[in-house]
Amino acid sequence: MRFEWIKCPCCGYRHFLKVGCDTVLINHLAFCRRCKTETQITYPNNTVMPEHTMPEHNSH
């Protein structure tokens, strides 16, 4: 099986999301641990829409 990496559209992090040749994602939310943004992805159409949201932090 062949895989490829989808880069983060905000920071270009190359190990953002790994997909195979038979992978189908529809409005998948993926989180970049490098720049801390959440991105909505549709694959194989390669539609990548940055949401630019920060993760919620619990206050103690």
Side-chain angles (χ1 to χ4, degrees):
M1 181 173 257
R2 191 169 158 231
F3 292 97
E4 67 177 277
W5 288 97
I6 296 176
K7 293 182 181 180
C8 174
C10 298
C11 70
Y13 183 55
R14 66 181 185 160
H15 291 129
F16 176 59
L17 186 65
K18 188 176 183 180
V19 294
C21 59
D22 60 346
T23 300
V24 176
L25 299 171
I26 299 172
N27 296 330
H28 175 75
L29 289 176
F31 179 75
C32 179
R33 57 188 156 158
R34 183 177 179 196
C35 68
K36 310 290 190 255
T37 59
E38 194 171 58
T39 305
Q40 185 177 7
I41 297 173
T42 298
Y43 182 88
N45 295 335
N46 293 329
T47 304
V48 180
M49 300 175 63
E51 295 290 322
H52 297 290
T53 58
M54 296 298 287
E56 292 183 19
H57 296 285
N58 292 335
S59 306
H60 294 283

